[in-house]
Amino acid sequence: MNTSNTEFEPKHHSIAGNILFFIRHYKRYEPAVLWICAGEILLGSLLPLFYIYLPKITIDLAAEKTAPGRLLFLLGGFTLLLMLLEGLKSGLGSGKYNLYNTQRTNLVGMLFLKSLRIKYEYTESGPVKKMYMKACRSVDSGDWSASSRMVSESVSLLINILSFLLYSTVIGYLSPGMLLTLLLLSALNYLISMGRIRFEESLREEDATAQKHYQCIYSSMGNMKGAKDIRIFGMQHWLLQLRDHVLGELRSLEERRQRKNAFYEWIGILLSAVRDLGAYAYLLYRASCGTISSGEFVLYFGAVTGFSGFMSGIMGALASLRGAANSTDYIRAYLDLPEEDLTSGNTHIDTRRPPLEIEFRDVCFSYKESEGAEGDTAPCTKEIFRDLNLKIRQGEKIALVGINGAGKTTLVKLLCGIYDPDQGQILINGIDRRKFPKTEYYRLFSVVFQEQLILPFTVGENLAMDRMDQVNEEKAWEALDKAGLKQTFLEKGIGIRSYMTKVMMEDGVELSGGQQQRFLLARALYKDAPVLVLDEPTAALDPLAEREVYQHYNQYSQGKTALFISHRLASTRFSDRILLLENGRIAESGTHRELMQAGGSYAKMYEIQSSYYTGGDPDGIQFDR
């Protein structure tokens, strides 16, 4: 599995590129947003122009001594038109807000579904996990979400640019020189604002790290599961010191931001004051000379005032869009990850055939992850298997043992097609497994992994991993019976349609650790696949409960090829063959009796474990082998 930090660094896109990304998204999923935005931009850029002309028209009509009735009619009509346009603009804004916020939920769903389609090795990669979390936060932050800001701020930017150009036309008609001066001063203001934006971007990683530290402390202090440990070990003062340190980081960062922003703000205010006061002085001069009328003075005065406001609006929209664009980069990077190929392969599997034979032929596999301190992208390769050869015969029950880190679970993931070998082949009945479509290949395995997945759905849905209307209830009860849960469920009034966990239902079923392990075993038995794989299924069970599971194991695996992983070596003797995995190879192979007689690593590990028990047999289970 080859992944590294640099491989998954999100590509940096321009603001325009990310705007186009969302245009394509809304065109596909919610085209009404684009039409509403177009109408809002048109109205938003024309209305300010109407507003600066209204005072001029009023003064000009008064100067012409227009009849009061006609004056009232004209101004009333003009005002009514403006009110109608404002109402329409407001309605468009509300409709747009509702639509693009609905799309936030759609984007979260798209990210989640993407996480189910990417290669499994990516889901275990630290950089990809980080990318996923940042992408989700980018679309699930309310009005501050990237998807929302890219729409609202793009509309705001275009309105301000168009209004700026329209007002520039008005001012240019009065004095091209005055317009050029205003544009030059506005350009300086723009450069200052861009410096402010670049400074904010320079703090992005530092701010993200400080926020991560704060969230870690915040979530730890709110986690009631740690209340006992905090009291027993007297961690209160230590946690408070950590909190104060993290808050100090945030406070220091904010103080730097405020000082720098204050500097840029005062420079901007000074330039704006010079620009606007100079323009106002020029207008007063022209008015005093009689070269412009009173109505024109009011018109140009409003244009100069709006000119400054639109420039500030452009700067604010650009700053917000830059931040939203940075967040959008994570969304796009995650959605662009390569997906698992589930359909390639022209060989089909007949699950009605006898139990499967499995062979690992010269299989090599290694992990490649980043190492070192945070931000260090130097890759580190950890070899797990080199030229691994293993054959599991049809219907054979294999127990796989070895110390932690020997690669037992990795071997299971390779077998199930979750990982792909770097070199070598994995054969099913003599056929390279890459020739089978993965959708079919996955159907071959009923697996109980170490990680427990209990969803807040019904018992039946959790067993079948399908909709309730697709659940075979008779088969579900049979699986629960084999796993030793049926009687418990009946006594507690738990049915196939009862909800599990209390996440969605207050009366949801809560299982103990051992019961959860039994339930996962029932899920594997419900699937009834040709290959049964149990990755330490009894780790959470006490010895008596474990003994019961082992007594029924032979019955569960009749007619199946089975692979069983365990740390408790005494529990492996029911298997046809025991394999000791060591240093990426099969170091020992044989029955329990054969391996004990050989006196190798297995015998030593067994003797060490046996020393913790009394009465000879740790489990009190008798086996022939």
Side-chain angles (χ1 to χ4, degrees):
M1 181 177 67
N2 300 322
T3 61
S4 64
N5 280 330
T6 52
E7 183 181 354
F8 296 110
E9 279 296 319
K11 180 182 177 182
H12 181 73
H13 298 88
S14 65
I15 292 176
N18 280 323
I19 290 175
L20 287 174
F21 166 78
F22 277 107
I23 287 176
R24 289 191 294 268
H25 173 82
Y26 286 110
K27 183 179 179 180
R28 180 176 180 181
Y29 295 104
E30 198 63 79
V33 170
L34 301 180
W35 291 106
I36 290 174
C37 287
E40 191 178 7
I41 291 168
L42 179 62
L43 291 174
S45 56
L46 290 178
L47 278 169
L49 193 64
F50 292 162
Y51 279 120
I52 63 170
Y53 269 97
L54 180 59
K56 178 184 184 301
I57 293 170
T58 303
I59 294 173
D60 287 345
L61 288 173
E64 294 172 3
K65 298 181 179 180
T66 304
R70 184 168 181 270
L71 178 62
L72 183 62
F73 174 78
L74 292 173
L75 293 179
F78 199 77
T79 303
L80 181 60
L81 176 62
L82 289 177
M83 290 175 63
L84 290 173
L85 292 176
E86 281 287 0
L88 178 58
K89 178 174 175 288
S90 177
L92 289 174
S94 297
K96 175 196 69 179
Y97 180 84
N98 293 331
L99 289 175
Y100 71 59
N101 273 295
T102 301
Q103 278 304 304
R104 286 196 292 108
T105 305
N106 183 31
L107 279 166
V108 171
M110 289 173 63
L111 290 169
F112 172 70
L113 292 175
K114 182 71 178 185
S115 73
L116 303 180
R117 295 195 300 265
I118 61 176
K119 295 180 179 179
Y120 180 80
E121 63 193 58
Y122 293 163
T123 67
E124 294 185 327
S125 165
V128 175
K129 290 179 182 178
K130 182 179 179 182
M131 183 193 299
Y132 179 71
M133 294 305 298
K134 287 190 173 183
C136 287
R137 284 198 296 270
S138 296
V139 298
D140 196 24
S141 302
D143 291 343
W144 198 245
S145 300
S147 56
S148 299
R149 283 193 291 159
M150 289 300 292
V151 175
S152 60
E153 297 300 337
S154 295
V155 169
S156 176
L157 177 65
L158 288 174
I159 287 175
N160 279 286
I161 289 175
L162 289 175
S163 298
F164 179 85
L165 294 175
L166 290 172
Y167 275 41
S168 296
T169 302
V170 173
I171 296 172
Y173 183 78
L174 170 67
S175 171
M178 177 181 172
L179 175 62
L180 180 61
T181 303
L182 291 175
L183 289 174
L184 288 174
L185 290 171
S186 296
L188 286 175
N189 215 335
Y190 172 81
L191 293 175
I192 291 170
S193 297
M194 290 306 298
R196 184 175 179 175
I197 293 172
R198 283 192 292 270
F199 170 71
E200 288 286 346
E201 290 181 353
S202 70
L203 298 179
R204 182 177 177 84
E205 283 301 318
E206 190 176 347
D207 184 63
T209 301
Q211 289 292 341
K212 181 171 65 176
H213 293 166
Y214 173 75
Q215 288 299 326
C216 179
I217 293 294
Y218 181 82
S219 59
S220 297
M221 288 188 168
N223 186 359
M224 293 300 103
K225 292 181 180 179
K228 298 187 295 294
D229 300 270
I230 290 171
R231 286 167 171 77
I232 296 292
F233 291 98
M235 299 168 62
Q236 297 93 329
H237 296 298
W238 176 53
L239 287 174
L240 288 173
Q241 289 174 354
L242 284 176
R243 180 204 64 181
D244 293 341
H245 175 73
V246 170
L247 290 177
E249 285 183 333
L250 291 173
R251 190 181 303 110
S252 174
L253 194 64
E254 188 60 29
E255 287 174 354
R256 286 168 53 197
R257 179 182 284 112
Q258 289 181 1
R259 285 196 300 269
K260 199 75 171 181
N261 285 342
F263 170 76
Y264 283 120
E265 189 173 340
W266 278 107
I267 295 291
I269 289 173
L270 180 62
L271 282 175
S272 296
V274 170
R275 179 191 64 203
D276 295 345
L277 291 176
Y280 295 149
Y282 179 74
L283 289 177
L284 288 171
Y285 169 75
R286 292 288 299 269
S288 64
C289 293
T291 55
I292 58 174
S293 66
S294 299
E296 289 174 327
F297 176 83
V298 173
L299 172 66
Y300 295 132
F301 192 94
V304 170
T305 303
F307 193 89
S308 175
F310 295 134
M311 179 54 67
S312 298
I314 292 172
M315 295 302 101
L318 282 174
S320 185
L321 281 171
R322 181 67 271 165
N326 288 336
S327 297
T328 303
D329 289 342
Y330 288 101
I331 301 172
R332 297 181 66 176
Y334 196 82
L335 292 177
D336 287 341
L337 286 174
E339 297 186 3
E340 185 178 22
D341 184 1
L342 297 174
T343 57
S344 294
N346 52 17
T347 302
H348 301 285
I349 302 170
D350 184 2
T351 58
R352 296 170 297 178
R353 292 182 60 184
L356 303 179
E357 179 180 88
I358 301 166
E359 181 181 357
F360 283 65
R361 184 180 294 174
D362 299 324
V363 169
C364 299
F365 181 81
S366 61
Y367 290 100
K368 185 177 181 183
E369 294 285 359
S370 61
E371 65 175 355
E374 186 172 347
D376 185 1
T377 58
C380 171
T381 300
K382 180 182 178 182
E383 185 179 70
I384 305 299
F385 300 122
R386 173 180 289 184
D387 299 327
L388 174 68
N389 289 284
L390 165 65
K391 179 176 286 189
I392 302 174
R393 296 181 287 273
Q394 292 183 354
E396 188 177 22
K397 301 177 184 65
I398 295 292
L400 188 64
V401 300
I403 63 174
N404 287 335
K408 300 185 296 296
T409 298
T410 301
L411 188 145
V412 168
K413 291 178 179 179
L414 283 165
L415 169 64
C416 296
I418 293 176
Y419 289 163
D420 291 320
D422 300 333
Q423 296 179 35
Q425 293 177 297
I426 298 175
L427 307 175
I428 303 295
N429 289 344
I431 303 173
D432 191 322
R433 74 114 183 266
R434 288 171 293 190
K435 295 183 179 181
F436 301 113
K438 274 198 173 181
T439 50
E440 293 187 22
Y441 187 79
Y442 286 149
R443 297 186 194 130
L444 295 178
F445 302 94
S446 290
V447 189
V448 179
F449 290 109
Q450 294 178 21
E451 301 85 1
Q452 297 179 349
L453 176 64
I454 305 293
L455 300 171
F457 303 136
T458 65
V459 170
E461 288 168 327
N462 270 281
L463 285 174
M465 300 303 281
D466 205 344
R467 301 190 313 271
M468 191 61 214
D469 59 2
Q470 299 297 314
V471 176
N472 183 327
E473 297 196 24
E474 181 180 348
K475 186 178 179 182
W477 279 118
E478 182 181 348
L480 290 170
D481 188 27
K482 288 181 179 180
L485 280 177
K486 180 178 180 180
Q487 190 61 36
T488 302
F489 276 30
L490 291 175
E491 290 174 358
K492 294 184 177 181
I494 301 171
I496 298 300
R497 296 178 180 270
S498 299
Y499 276 84
M500 303 198 71
T501 80
K502 298 186 183 300
V503 173
M504 295 179 64
M505 297 294 179
E506 293 183 2
D507 60 347
V509 177
E510 291 283 4
L511 301 177
S512 66
Q515 289 173 337
Q516 287 183 20
Q517 206 70 43
R518 289 174 180 272
F519 189 84
L520 297 180
L521 179 59
R523 177 186 293 165
L525 296 173
Y526 180 93
K527 185 177 180 181
D528 194 28
V531 182
L532 180 62
V533 181
L534 304 180
D535 189 352
E536 296 194 71
T538 59
L541 300 182
D542 58 71
L544 291 177
E546 184 181 48
R547 178 175 181 272
E548 183 182 348
V549 171
Y550 293 149
Q551 286 177 333
H552 290 87
Y553 182 74
N554 282 326
Q555 177 183 348
Y556 302 159
S557 54
Q558 287 300 319
K560 300 179 185 298
T561 303
L563 181 65
F564 174 77
I565 297 176
S566 177
H567 277 100
R568 297 178 183 175
L569 302 186
S571 65
T572 62
R573 288 180 290 166
F574 63 87
S575 302
D576 298 320
R577 189 159 44 117
I578 299 170
L579 304 177
L580 175 68
L581 196 60
E582 190 175 70
N583 298 324
R585 63 186 182 88
I586 305 299
E588 298 180 22
S589 174
T591 65
H592 173 76
R593 182 174 297 171
E594 290 171 347
L595 295 181
M596 290 301 294
Q597 290 175 350
S601 297
Y602 175 86
K604 293 177 182 177
M605 292 170 63
Y606 179 82
E607 290 170 359
I608 292 173
Q609 287 194 7
S610 297
S611 67
Y612 292 101
Y613 296 86
T614 58
D617 191 309
D619 297 299
I621 311 172
Q622 300 300 321
F623 294 96
D624 294 334
R625 299 181 182 86

